[in-house]
Amino acid sequence: MDSPTTSGSTDRGPLEFRDFAVAQARHLVRTAYLLTGGDAHLAEDLAQEALGKLYGGWRRISRMENPAGYARTVLVNTFLSHRRRRSSREHVTDTFAETAGPREDPALRVALLGVLAELPQQDRAVLVLRYWEDLGVEETAAALRLTPSAVRSRASRALARLRTRLGDQFDDLARS
């Protein structure tokens, strides 16, 4: 038997959050996977941490114009602050191979994730938001608290590094 609230209606906040989390979790994990340079376990941890932060303020967040965009911003900020906290956490000593998707060239995917992992965190975040999340320069700047010109220059430098490190493979990636 449900206990009534003071207004006589039940609180749907947790149920609405659950629906939101189910709808967004996979997308957040995929974005975090790219941000972390292919670390699936860390990606899941970051996505879960971001959803935990969202749950605390869900009543306010659910009334926002774009809660999914806000969730993405929380995820990116969680990723960027992760390195600062890492000194007190466990250290990875070995990496397990992830299974590649059937439609992609596994060697190319591994090469791209390796090069992404070598980029500075902010550059990686810019590339993921601009080209994976398909955000505009202004939206990316707002999410990362950068100026639009900083986003453009970081994206340009990061893409140049990708091109240099991947060589001919970069053209194959761009076409797929």
Side-chain angles (χ1 to χ4, degrees):
M1 181 168 155
D2 292 336
S3 61
T5 62
T6 56
S7 64
S9 64
T10 59
D11 181 15
R12 296 211 21 97
L15 291 176
E16 289 173 4
F17 178 79
R18 187 195 67 194
D19 293 342
F20 173 82
V22 167
Q24 293 297 314
R26 184 173 176 172
H27 184 74
L28 290 172
V29 170
R30 282 185 295 182
T31 300
Y33 182 78
L34 291 171
L35 289 170
T36 61
D39 185 339
H41 302 290
L42 178 57
E44 290 173 357
D45 290 347
L46 291 174
Q48 182 175 3
E49 188 175 338
L51 286 170
K53 290 176 182 179
L54 292 169
Y55 182 75
W58 181 245
R59 286 183 188 268
R60 175 183 51 83
I61 294 165
S62 66
R63 292 188 299 262
M64 290 181 168
E65 185 176 320
N66 185 3
Y70 185 75
R72 184 176 46 245
T73 299
V74 169
L75 175 68
V76 170
N77 290 334
T78 301
F79 162 72
L80 291 173
S81 67
H82 170 74
R83 175 102 34 207
R84 290 187 293 264
R85 299 183 320 238
R86 187 161 186 209
S87 63
S88 66
R89 303 185 107 178
E90 57 188 76
H91 298 278
V92 178
T93 58
D94 203 358
T95 304
F96 295 100
E98 297 295 326
T99 56
R103 64 181 189 271
E104 298 172 1
D105 179 11
L108 198 54
R109 180 184 176 112
V110 169
L112 177 61
L113 288 173
V115 174
L116 276 173
E118 293 173 7
L119 292 175
Q121 287 184 339
Q122 285 252 307
D123 289 354
R124 193 176 331 144
V126 165
L127 288 183
V128 169
L129 291 178
R130 286 283 291 128
Y131 302 107
W132 174 260
E133 292 290 331
D134 202 23
L135 295 183
V137 172
E138 298 290 332
E139 294 169 306
T140 302
L144 297 175
R145 296 186 182 135
L146 298 171
T147 64
S149 62
V151 168
R152 286 189 292 272
S153 66
R154 282 186 175 276
S156 177
R157 277 195 316 260
L159 287 173
R161 285 185 193 145
L162 286 177
R163 285 184 185 102
T164 300
R165 297 278 292 135
L166 290 174
D168 294 336
Q169 291 177 329
F170 185 81
D171 293 332
D172 294 339
L173 279 173
R175 277 186 250 124
S176 51

